[in-house]
Amino acid sequence: MAATARKNRAARRILAAGAGIVTVGALVAAMPSAGAAGDRSGGGHGHGHGKGQGRLVDVQLLSFNDLHGNLEPPTGSSGRLTRLKADGGTETIEGVGGVEYLATHLRQARQGHRYSVTAAAGDMIGASPLVSGIFHDEPTVEALNKLDLDVTSVGNHEFDEGARELARMQNGGCHPVEGCFEKGRTFEGADFPYLAANVTNEKTGRPLLDPYFVWEKDGVRIGFIGVTLEGTANIVSAEGIKGLKFGDEIETINKYAKVLERKGVKSIVALLHEGGMPASGAYNYDCDSPGPGDGISGPIVDIAKKVSPQVDALVTGHTHQAYACTIPDPAGKPRTVTSAASFGRLYTDTTLTYDRRTKDIVRTAVASANHVVTRTVDRAGDMEGLIKRWKALAAPIADRPVGYSSADIENPADAYEKPLGDLIADAQLEGMAPADKGGAQLALMNPGGIRAPLTNKVSGSEAPGVVTYGEAYTVQPFTNMMTAVDLTGAQLVTTLQQQVSGANLDAPKILQVSKGFTYTLDMTKTGADRIVVGSVRLNGEAIDPAKTYRVAMNEFLSGGGDGFAILKEHRNKLVGASDLDMFTAYLAAHSSPTAPLPVPVPNRITVIK
């Protein structure tokens, strides 16, 4: 039975690539050749009967991406979507997402489909809210097993805790330091394979994980190739990925498409943790619209145009955007490229029409659409029970009050300066400003490290307006250590320029800055010219290129993460407490039941559009 093969974790493997990622004890899996390991059948769900007994078979591909351990319904802006109305305007859909509802939607979608496969495009775990993150995402993997996920690619966040921990996510076993979290239970690992075709051992060139997976039901075979973005090493902690190489996405997919073809698998889907930016943020925007300024941009466009025509569809992620686009392959033929936003707010339903005679997908019949995970359906009882079980374990930590807020403090994706970014940068400056703590004069915070808004909504047993440790953790789940470093004024200006140039040219990463640090961002210009150098000031004084400044930032940034190579040139680093500890300390010091924290007014970065 194919389903039995799918659950055979003994065939899963993570290869040792130096001391930094050697797996130990029960985490070490068998190490067959890449081809042998990847050529395993997957079990179909077999729901209903549907079309599929003749020559043409409709295979339902359900997909999603960037769940980030959001088991409970996400709050604030993280739980919203924008919808395009028939009159051309937009409206906001409140209250979407939550794995209890995602499970119900997927199970309902599978009904009536004899052939249904569920796949994901990475970042299932990592940067997760406390109910999953504090348990190293064991709850999310357990939930994904219950969701009947068949296969996923890795994303950059699967490497947040290093390759050793990723091995445990796949193969199971208790945490090497904290042990088993539930008495009498051992974490079993993922029932589904993680694919990482372009993540290889630098010395041997062998893939870290299986490069591909073959799903099969009644003779219908579809191959999945999984890759993460080539730039993963630039956006995760270097310590956990020592000895690993992240290869070119296009070359890797094309390589394994040929491998699958040689094995007689002609229907191929690429699961790619890299994405694009549609011209509209509405989930139902038609990104095939031909008008000026319409369509989709970003890395996925170039990748899709160069990935082999042997690949029939691309399921993508990373940018947290929603789209179901058609991008021509190298032969000029239309090909579907999809992404389902993030946090379980959407899922994509794609019909792949399989020709039994050619064993290939009839490309002209492929159809995709994104569907909202509403909370108007019944909750899935098994997911509800899973969440309650883990929340009970987390409650003593999660429900502890750490501060008070007067209203939601948002983290809007479409804003360069964010109210929550200002708050966090101020907290980091205050924590690192004392002479014995680092003597920081300003703080810089990477926007990707802020994972959710700080919402005023009651999330547990606390009173309205109370900020709990769990809510603060959801905002800053990485618990990066803070540093104070020396940078010259010239390096500081270069840092600002690297926000909008080099690796960040197409997708700017605007650092959040502490009070007193101001400058102008001119988005009518291009690249580094977008920073108006003469406008950069600290407490009203122009930055002196030759002067040395003490700057607070987390270790991810001081290591050059997110494309800020200049920050690796810092001097005199002093390591402080974690960013989360500084955030909770600031909340405690600056709020009370009678004087809750006000919403910051973003007024540090002047933007010219």
Side-chain angles (χ1 to χ4, degrees):
M1 185 71 180
T4 302
R6 170 174 163 262
K7 293 183 181 288
N8 182 12
R9 289 194 202 92
R12 307 273 151 74
R13 64 201 165 82
I14 291 196
L15 306 182
I21 64 164
V22 174
T23 55
V24 294
L27 298 185
V28 178
M31 295 185 187
S33 68
D39 190 17
R40 301 189 313 280
S41 297
H45 298 296
H47 299 278
H49 297 285
K51 178 180 175 182
Q53 298 304 316
R55 172 179 165 180
L56 297 181
V57 177
D58 278 351
V59 179
Q60 179 191 56
L61 171 61
L62 300 175
S63 59
F64 55 100
N65 51 276
D66 296 276
L67 180 65
H68 290 290
N70 276 263
L71 301 181
E72 295 184 275
T75 60
S77 55
S78 295
R80 298 179 191 136
L81 286 169
T82 300
R83 177 164 51 205
L84 195 62
K85 298 190 295 184
D87 62 5
T90 60
E91 60 182 345
T92 299
I93 307 173
E94 297 281 356
V96 298
V99 77
E100 301 151 292
Y101 304 103
L102 175 62
T104 299
H105 279 279
L106 291 178
R107 290 163 184 172
Q108 290 178 348
R110 291 175 187 140
Q111 293 176 9
H113 293 273
R114 180 178 178 83
Y115 301 88
S116 183
V117 57
T118 304
D123 279 8
M124 294 295 97
I125 59 175
S128 305
L130 183 139
V131 72
S132 183
I134 199 173
F135 300 114
H136 300 277
D137 280 315
E138 288 182 21
T140 295
V141 172
E142 182 182 343
L144 292 171
N145 288 342
K146 291 178 181 293
L147 277 178
D148 283 328
L149 181 64
D150 287 294
V151 59
T152 184
S153 67
V154 295
N156 54 288
H157 282 281
E158 266 77 21
F159 293 93
D160 280 351
E161 295 189 49
R164 184 193 300 265
E165 182 65 0
L166 177 55
R168 193 176 73 88
M169 292 295 100
Q170 180 70 88
N171 298 322
C174 297
H175 192 270
V177 176
E178 298 178 41
C180 294
F181 295 112
E182 295 179 287
K183 187 176 181 179
R185 285 179 185 249
T186 298
F187 175 57
E188 295 185 356
D191 287 346
F192 50 90
Y194 273 107
L195 304 182
N198 67 330
V199 186
T200 57
N201 182 310
E202 282 184 329
K203 294 180 179 179
T204 68
R206 297 179 70 188
L208 174 74
L209 287 159
D210 289 343
Y212 61 84
F213 168 81
V214 178
W215 177 89
E216 181 175 7
K217 182 177 175 65
D218 298 340
V220 176
R221 303 178 79 200
I222 298 178
F224 291 86
I225 302 167
V227 300
T228 186
L229 71 154
E230 184 180 7
T232 291
N234 297 322
I235 53 176
V236 300
S237 174
E239 185 63 29
I241 57 170
K242 282 183 178 178
L244 293 181
K245 178 182 178 182
F246 294 84
D248 181 87
E249 307 97 332
I250 300 165
E251 292 177 5
T252 304
I253 293 171
N254 290 349
K255 171 185 174 180
Y256 286 104
K258 290 179 181 177
V259 171
L260 287 170
E261 282 269 335
R262 288 197 297 268
K263 291 177 174 289
V265 180
K266 298 182 178 179
S267 299
I268 302 172
V269 175
L271 305 176
L272 168 62
H273 192 70
E274 179 61 289
M277 301 292 293
S280 168
Y283 81 88
N284 59 338
Y285 165 69
D286 179 9
C287 55
D288 293 338
S289 178
D294 285 347
I296 185 171
S297 60
I300 195 59
V301 177
D302 185 58
I303 292 172
K305 288 180 178 178
K306 294 178 181 178
V307 162
S308 169
Q310 293 172 298
V311 175
D312 298 295
L314 284 80
V315 176
T316 73
H318 188 56
T319 60
H320 291 202
Q321 300 298 304
Y323 48 84
C325 299
T326 301
I327 300 175
D329 67 17
K333 295 180 180 179
R335 179 165 54 192
T336 295
V337 181
T338 68
S339 175
S342 60
F343 307 150
R345 294 175 293 168
L346 292 173
Y347 71 91
T348 310
D349 192 333
T350 301
T351 299
L352 301 172
T353 299
Y354 181 92
D355 189 325
R356 287 186 181 272
R357 190 182 73 180
T358 65
K359 299 181 181 179
D360 207 349
I361 300 300
V362 181
R363 197 81 83 68
T364 54
V366 173
S368 292
N370 278 319
H371 299 274
V372 179
V373 177
T374 65
R375 300 177 195 167
T376 55
V377 298
D378 291 336
R379 298 181 182 185
D382 56 343
M383 295 298 179
E384 194 172 7
L386 180 152
I387 292 170
K388 285 182 178 179
R389 194 177 93 240
W390 287 104
K391 282 189 72 174
L393 285 173
I397 298 171
D399 293 344
R400 176 168 59 87
V402 295
Y404 303 84
S405 64
S406 59
D408 289 354
I409 302 178
E410 292 286 4
N411 182 45
D414 58 353
Y416 294 119
E417 183 183 353
K418 310 165 193 294
L420 188 52
D422 285 358
L423 173 62
I424 290 171
D426 288 351
Q428 294 178 353
L429 174 59
E430 182 166 299
M432 299 299 288
D436 62 339
K437 302 292 185 182
Q441 297 165 274
L442 69 143
L444 304 175
M445 175 63 196
N446 57 305
I450 308 171
R451 305 306 302 184
L454 189 64
T455 52
N456 205 242
K457 180 182 177 181
V458 173
S459 63
S461 59
E462 87 276 10
V466 173
V467 178
T468 65
Y469 183 83
E471 290 167 335
Y473 183 101
T474 297
V475 170
Q476 291 211 276
F478 296 112
T479 58
N480 281 315
M481 301 309 291
M482 287 299 301
T483 67
V485 302
D486 283 352
L487 291 177
T488 66
Q491 289 173 322
L492 195 50
V493 170
T494 299
T495 299
L496 299 181
Q497 291 172 330
Q498 287 183 347
Q499 298 177 119
V500 288
S501 63
N504 298 323
L505 177 64
D506 294 328
K509 289 186 174 69
I510 306 302
L511 298 169
Q512 304 301 285
V513 299
S514 56
K515 59 185 176 182
F517 189 68
T518 58
Y519 69 96
T520 297
L521 179 66
D522 188 349
M523 296 305 292
T524 66
K525 296 182 178 178
T526 305
D529 289 340
R530 288 174 165 173
I531 302 301
V532 181
V533 174
S535 70
V536 184
R537 296 179 177 274
L538 178 61
N539 299 323
E541 292 187 7
I543 291 294
D544 182 345
K547 187 177 177 180
T548 296
Y549 297 87
R550 290 292 282 171
V551 186
M553 65 187 75
N554 59 45
E555 283 197 303
F556 172 71
L557 271 182
S558 61
D562 269 352
F564 292 96
I566 189 68
L567 293 179
K568 291 191 290 186
E569 299 178 14
H570 65 261
R571 294 181 180 275
N572 300 323
K573 181 170 77 171
L574 185 147
V575 178
S578 75
D579 52 8
L580 179 59
D581 285 346
M582 288 190 181
F583 184 46
T584 56
Y586 188 87
L587 291 171
H590 293 273
S591 66
S592 68
T594 56
L597 200 70
V599 177
V601 178
N603 57 7
R604 301 166 189 183
I605 305 173
T606 301
V607 181
I608 301 173
K609 296 182 179 180

